[in-house]
Structure formats: structure tokens, C-alpha cells
Amino acid sequence: MTPPFSPARLHAEAGEPLVLARHGFFWTGVEPITTDDGPAVRGQTYVEYWIPQDLRHRLPIVMIHGGGGQGLDYLGGVAGGEGWVHRFVRKGYAVYVIDRPGHGRSPADPKIQGPLGPSLPAPMVERLFSAPSRFPDRYPGAERHTQWVGEGRYGDETFDAFLAGMGPMNADAAQHYTDCRRGGVELLDLIGEAILLTHSAGGPVGWLLADARPGLVAGIVAVEPLGPSFQGAPPGALTWGLTAVPLTFEPPATTPEDLELRETTLPSGVTAVLQKEPARKLPKLAGVPVAVVTGEASWAMGTDPGTVAFLQQAGVAAEHVRLADHEVRGNGHMMMCERNSDEVADVIASWLSSKDL
């Protein structure tokens, strides 16, 4: 299959230089184990970094990809060109991009990393990511999805290129997010205070890292994070609200059953599962500004309100940033890969600026 863009054209059409002081990679969260075949390592997180020569912001951004994807989701659109990594490096941020354990360049050997779940089949990817407008009954607003490049269906070169980068998720969500937390904590301990930019199934990693290292997480931009609260669908039940493993609650909760729940209808009309009042708080996240970013034409319009409500009820300074409110329209769940991804990045950068980040 040929790329959905012309490499020869990219070579010929030189643009503004991307000037770096440093670029490289390393791994964190490496766990030595013994297998039937001998010593091995597991649970590792691949980290790649871009440090601009014109470093204008004190805090770096750590980009954490979604389920089935990998760090390359932030490296370009489905039709080629620059991605959010380049966009934020050009804005003067140092950027660290990870491949979560078992994804991308973090190996996924099930004998070592743990059993894998199924990959997303092409028809489901079409309905959820690339062409929901062809399935208007899939969820409200799907018909407004206009920003995907190409036809968004199997056999279209841009769709097939996107599908080529997807893989299965770990079948054991609790083990996976435990591994993510270990690698993420080690990364923050190495680089210091940072901004976290998460997407989809990478969302729980942001909450877990802020809980484990509250002094090293300056802010979280959660792009359509896995939710809503207490959802039980793949890639794993969010038994602790927005994670599959424990968070620090006050008063303490020793088991998920300690979190007494109620179903409620939010002002937006979305049904959410929240705690009964008085709700337990998340004290480690209380000082961390959070933006939950939602596309106009994404199924997350029906899930993100519940995520925001859960965070706010737990004492977190969470804001719901709807792209349509900023006149950025037509985006689905993979907004960082769509044709107007630069506009989305600018909304995020504006929010960071408003928080002095």
C-alpha cells in the first residue's frame, strides 16, 4: 500500500524549519521478571522527546495516547503532515510522547506483558472514529462529522493507513493501568513538573499520575477521556470512578463498594453515575486544573459531561471545553488526526495560557 500522501512532495516543499536542541528516546517502568525461558522485562513505557531550541515554556507536555493507538497519533494526520507534537514544539514547549505498555514501540508479547484483547475491527473503527456521519443512528451529532480526511471507510487509503497503526489493548485493565502508572511516575520523577495531555483510554493515566505525583502535574488536558464515570465497557470497568485501579479518596475508600453511587440526569440531558452526597473527594487532584476537551461530532458528547460532573463533585477544578463553543466544528474522537487538528491544538494552547501553563 502506498502512503496517502506524496513523500516526494514533502521533500520538495520545504517549510519552516523545526529547530530542535534535543531529540531522543528512552524507556521507563521496566519491571524485571523471570519467565520459563529465563530473565525478561515487562510493563515498559516507550518515551520519545522533542526539545525545541527556542524553549519558551518552563513546563513540558507529556502526550498520552488512547486505546488501540500509539504515540504516533500525535505525530501527524491520517493524510500526512505535521501533528500536535510539531505544533506544540513550534509554540516553544518541550514535548514527551509515550507508547503505553503493550502499544507501539512498547512490546506487546502476551507471554510477558499479559493477555491481549481483540483489535478493533474495521467496521467499528468506521462507526466510532472515521465515518460516523454515515451512521447517523450511531449517536446524536454523528451527522456533523466532517473533518476526517478521505472517505473514512475500509479500502480508502487514508483509512487503511490509520488502521495500520492500531492494535489490541491489554485484556487486564487493572494490570495495564498499574503498569502505566509505574512508567508515568518514573517519567515525572525524571523530568519534573509537567502538563499531561491525554486521549481516550489514556485518560485514566492522567488521573492516576496526578494522584501519585500531585506536585509534578501542573495541569491535565483530557481529550475525550475514557468514561463516563463508573462505566463498565471495554477497555475495562472504571470501578474507581474514572480508573480501574484505586485513587486516593477522602474520606478513604478501601474498596469500590465504599463509593456509594446514584444515577442522575445532568442539565445537558446526559445521564451520569455519580457519588451520593456527601461525596468523597480526590484531594491529590484538587489543586490540578483540568480541561476535558470534546469534539462537536463525537460520541464523547454523551460521555464527557458525566466525567466532568464526577470530577467536579470530587473537588477537582475541571472545565468542559467544547470545541463548538470555540467555533471549531465537525470533529470526531480522533481530532488530533483530522484536517483541522491545528485549530484544535490552538484551543488547547489558549486554555493552557489562561492557566499560566
Side-chain angles (χ1 to χ4, degrees):
M1 187 185 109
T2 58
F5 56 89
S6 168
R9 178 179 60 78
L10 293 181
H11 298 162
E13 296 178 1
E16 180 185 352
L18 185 70
V19 183
L20 300 178
R22 296 284 187 274
H23 174 233
F25 68 91
F26 54 91
W27 276 270
T28 62
V30 179
E31 180 185 10
I33 61 170
T34 300
T35 72
D36 293 341
D37 299 321
V41 297
R42 65 164 307 281
Q44 60 267 46
T45 293
Y46 173 85
V47 183
E48 190 167 351
Y49 58 88
W50 290 259
I51 314 299
Q53 189 175 78
D54 181 17
L55 184 62
R56 302 192 298 276
H57 299 280
R58 178 179 65 87
L59 298 173
I61 299 176
V62 178
M63 297 185 180
I64 303 169
H65 66 86
Q70 49 186 292
L72 62 80
D73 292 346
Y74 295 112
L75 277 170
V78 294
E82 294 189 342
W84 282 3
V85 168
H86 313 89
R87 188 71 172 174
F88 283 94
V89 166
R90 292 190 186 281
K91 291 178 181 294
Y93 286 95
V95 175
Y96 293 78
V97 177
I98 75 167
D99 286 347
R100 296 191 349 253
H103 295 266
R105 283 169 284 191
S106 296
D109 184 346
K111 293 186 298 182
I112 295 176
Q113 308 296 348
L116 300 175
S119 295
L120 292 178
M124 182 178 294
V125 174
E126 292 178 12
R127 289 174 176 267
L128 292 178
F129 302 147
S130 66
S133 60
R134 292 195 289 109
F135 309 96
D137 59 334
R138 185 69 181 88
Y139 55 82
E143 71 282 355
R144 293 193 290 271
H145 186 230
T146 59
Q147 295 294 349
W148 191 268
V149 179
E151 297 179 8
R153 68 180 73 198
Y154 184 68
D156 175 71
E157 59 182 356
T158 55
F159 177 88
D160 291 353
F162 174 67
L163 194 63
M166 299 193 72
M169 293 174 280
N170 194 295
D172 185 340
Q175 179 63 64
H176 174 68
Y177 287 116
T178 298
D179 292 339
C180 289
R181 178 173 56 190
R182 184 177 66 251
V185 163
E186 185 177 326
L187 174 59
L188 291 176
D189 287 345
L190 287 169
I191 68 174
E193 189 180 11
I195 300 159
L196 306 182
L197 195 163
T198 70
H199 177 235
S200 196
V205 184
W207 317 133
L208 290 168
L209 294 186
D211 186 67
R213 291 292 187 272
L216 295 181
V217 176
I220 299 175
V221 177
V223 177
E224 302 195 351
L226 185 64
S229 50
F230 302 104
Q231 70 104 13
L238 301 179
T239 51
W240 288 89
L242 296 179
T243 64
V245 291
L247 290 167
T248 303
F249 284 91
E250 183 60 44
T254 56
T255 70
E257 288 69 32
D258 291 336
L259 304 174
E260 298 183 74
L261 308 181
R262 62 183 174 89
E263 189 175 278
T264 186
T265 301
L266 302 175
S268 62
V270 171
T271 299
V273 177
L274 302 177
Q275 299 183 69
K276 292 181 179 179
E277 295 290 353
R280 284 177 164 82
K281 304 301 182 182
L282 291 169
K284 300 293 186 69
L285 276 70
V288 179
V290 171
V292 175
V293 180
T294 310
E296 177 189 39
S298 174
W299 46 263
M301 285 292 288
T303 60
D304 283 353
T307 298
V308 173
F310 171 83
L311 289 167
Q312 292 175 342
Q313 186 191 36
V316 181
E319 303 173 30
H320 196 177
V321 179
R322 299 174 179 85
L323 293 181
D325 292 342
H326 298 267
E327 299 302 321
V328 178
R329 302 198 173 273
N331 289 103
H333 188 56
M334 293 300 300
M335 62 186 71
M336 69 288 299
C337 298
E338 295 188 321
R339 67 174 79 245
N340 66 340
S341 63
D342 281 357
E343 294 180 44
V344 181
D346 288 345
V347 171
I348 292 171
S350 177
W351 184 84
L352 291 175
S353 178
S354 74
K355 303 300 177 184
D356 294 325
L357 299 177

